[in-house]
Amino acid sequence: MRQPSAQPNPSTPPFNAPAARRLRAALGMGPEHVAYGMRASYGMPYVTPDLVAAWERGAAAPSNPELTALAGVLWCSPGELIGRPRTLREHRVSRGIAPEDVARAVGMDLPGYLHMEDSGTWRGNERQSAVLADVLQLSLPDFVTVTDRETKLAELLHSAVTTRWQAYVRPVAKVAPLDRGVLEDVLQELHEDYQGHMAATLSWGGGTKEASVSGRDFIDQIVEIFWTAVESRNG
C-alpha cells in the first residue's frame, strides 16, 4: 500500500493549500468527504481526513497522483491547486497534460523528454522551444525560465546597466524575443535607474551604506525589474 507524502517534495508542483481549502468549502464538503472521494474513486485507501487537513495546513503536500485525484474530487483542474509553476514539470502538471503528449508535440522520445524534466535542463532547439511554449501556454518570462535562459538574461542585463545598454539590445532579444522598441526603452530605463543608484553611492562623502545596498539589490533583482518594466509597456 502506498504511503502518503509526509513533507513537501521539491520535485512536485508547489501546492496551493489556501486554494484547496477554499474550493472544498465552496462545495460544502468536509475533509472527510474529500478523503472518502479519493479512496472510493481513485484507489487511495490511505487518504484520511487528517491527511487532507494536513495538506490544507501546508504541513504536507500531495504527490502528483494525489494532486490529480484531489482535483478530481474538488471538481477543478490540477492547475487551480498549485502555486505559480517554476519548472518544466510544474508547468506541464498545472496544464493537466501528460508527458507523452508534450514529448510527441515537440518531436522527442518520451525518455529524452522526461530526462529534461528530471534534470530541469531544457535541450530543445528553437522550433521545439516554440512548440513547447505553445503547448504549455507559457508567458515569455516563464518561457525564459523553463528553457534555462534566466541566468543568461541576468548576466546580459547586468552588463547592459553597468556599461552601454545599446550594445545589449540584440543579445537580450535573442534570449527574450521582444519588440525592439520596447526592449530599447526598457534597457535605457534600467540603465538610468542603476546609474542613479551608483551616482548616489559615489556622491560627496562617499554616499551612504543604504545607497550602496540599494544598488546591489537592484542588480540582485534585475530580472524581476526587467519583466516589470516590460509588462508596464505591454499593458
Side-chain angles (χ1 to χ4, degrees):
M1 178 185 300
R2 188 195 181 286
Q3 295 301 310
S5 53
Q7 295 295 330
N9 186 333
S11 68
T12 60
F15 183 61
N16 190 334
R21 289 196 302 272
R22 184 175 64 253
L23 288 164
R24 173 180 59 74
L27 292 170
M29 300 170 67
E32 66 278 10
H33 300 121
V34 175
Y36 175 79
M38 295 182 69
R39 292 195 303 268
S41 300
Y42 293 91
M44 297 180 172
Y46 57 85
V47 176
T48 64
D50 286 343
L51 178 58
V52 173
W55 290 339
E56 293 186 356
R57 292 196 310 273
S63 65
N64 284 345
E66 291 164 349
L67 183 69
T68 300
L70 180 61
V73 172
L74 296 178
W75 291 85
C76 68
S77 69
E80 294 178 77
L81 293 175
I82 68 176
R84 183 176 182 273
R86 299 181 302 271
T87 66
L88 178 56
R89 175 178 285 118
E90 289 172 5
H91 279 283
R92 177 181 60 74
V93 171
S94 72
R95 297 294 179 188
I97 303 174
E100 295 86 350
D101 294 334
V102 178
R104 186 181 308 110
V106 300
M108 293 180 178
D109 62 87
L110 181 59
Y113 171 76
L114 289 175
H115 176 70
M116 293 183 192
E117 280 199 357
D118 292 338
S119 66
T121 303
W122 173 251
R123 297 298 186 189
N125 57 34
E126 290 300 314
R127 183 196 66 80
Q128 291 171 321
S129 296
V131 173
L132 181 76
D134 182 61
V135 170
L136 298 183
Q137 301 176 44
L138 299 174
S139 66
L140 185 54
D142 288 334
F143 174 74
V144 169
T145 300
V146 165
T147 55
D148 306 315
R149 304 180 184 192
E150 192 166 81
T151 298
K152 180 64 175 178
L153 177 61
E155 293 171 353
L156 291 172
L157 294 175
H158 178 275
S159 297
V161 302
T162 56
T163 58
R164 291 182 64 255
W165 65 265
Q166 296 89 338
Y168 291 89
V169 175
R170 293 184 66 183
V172 171
K174 289 182 179 180
V175 176
L178 288 161
D179 175 81
R180 184 180 180 88
V182 170
L183 189 52
E184 289 177 344
D185 287 347
V186 168
L187 291 184
Q188 182 176 7
E189 176 188 324
L190 265 59
H191 181 271
E192 292 173 353
D193 286 350
Y194 178 72
Q195 294 304 318
H197 287 302
M198 293 307 296
T201 303
L202 300 175
S203 62
W204 284 102
T208 64
K209 181 178 180 180
E210 289 75 13
S212 178
V213 171
S214 178
R216 289 200 300 271
D217 287 345
F218 187 92
I219 291 298
D220 290 343
Q221 301 170 33
I222 190 68
V223 173
E224 291 83 359
I225 294 171
F226 171 76
W227 289 125
T228 299
V230 168
E231 183 178 356
S232 69
R233 282 162 175 75
N234 290 334

